[in-house]
Amino acid sequence: MLTAEEIICKYYSADDALRRLLVGHSRMVADKALRIAAAHPELHVNAAFVERAAMLHDIGIFLTDAPGIHCHGTHPYLLHGHLGAQLMRREGDEAVARVCERHTGTGLTAETIERQNIPLPTGIYVPVTVEEQIICYADKYFSKSHPDVERTYEQTCRSVARWGDDCLATFMAWHRRFC
């Protein structure tokens, strides 16, 4: 199996703006997720997996159309997790694929997918394992639009609230569990 760095190199040109953004964002998410895992030995978190999956959770962004963050693909940005999951399945890593497709918002429920008419195949798009939840939680603190800033809990709550009360409630429950 390829390392996270090898997979990133496979899909992203050396030293371009998008790769630097992806790696920087992913490193911040991984570091926060690893701090959470270390602070909670009672959760029995697989730290090596958390680091790998956090570094690859956004691997599909290059396939999306989000020019403000150097993405010049053809798909809506909302699908970057699903697209990344497809890439990771081709790489033979189902566990990381699940992290990719389950980290959008605090997860996309079937109701949200239907209500917003999101073009996703039937599946589970909500973090299930503790590792998936920690990575998803950590990711909410970092925006690729402001890559050098970690949001406060209050700022992150405001950001998550735009996805609805259910998402905010999930995020707040994770905060109580992980902090």
Side-chain angles (χ1 to χ4, degrees), residues 106 153 157 160-161 164-176:
T106 57
Y153 171 70
C157 283
V160 170
D165 292 340
D166 290 347
C167 289
L168 180 58
T170 298
F171 178 78
M172 292 171 75
W174 287 342
H175 183 75
R176 288 188 299 276

Side-chain angles (χ1 to χ4, degrees), residues 57-92:
H57 77 280
D58 276 336
I59 193 71
I61 62 173
F62 76 96
L63 297 166
T64 69
D65 180 28
I69 58 168
H70 314 290
C71 298
H72 302 286
T74 58
H75 299 278
Y77 186 78
L78 188 59
L79 297 183
H80 76 277
H82 175 67
L83 298 166
Q86 290 176 332
L87 294 175
M88 292 311 302
R89 287 188 175 104
R90 283 196 291 262
E91 296 296 333

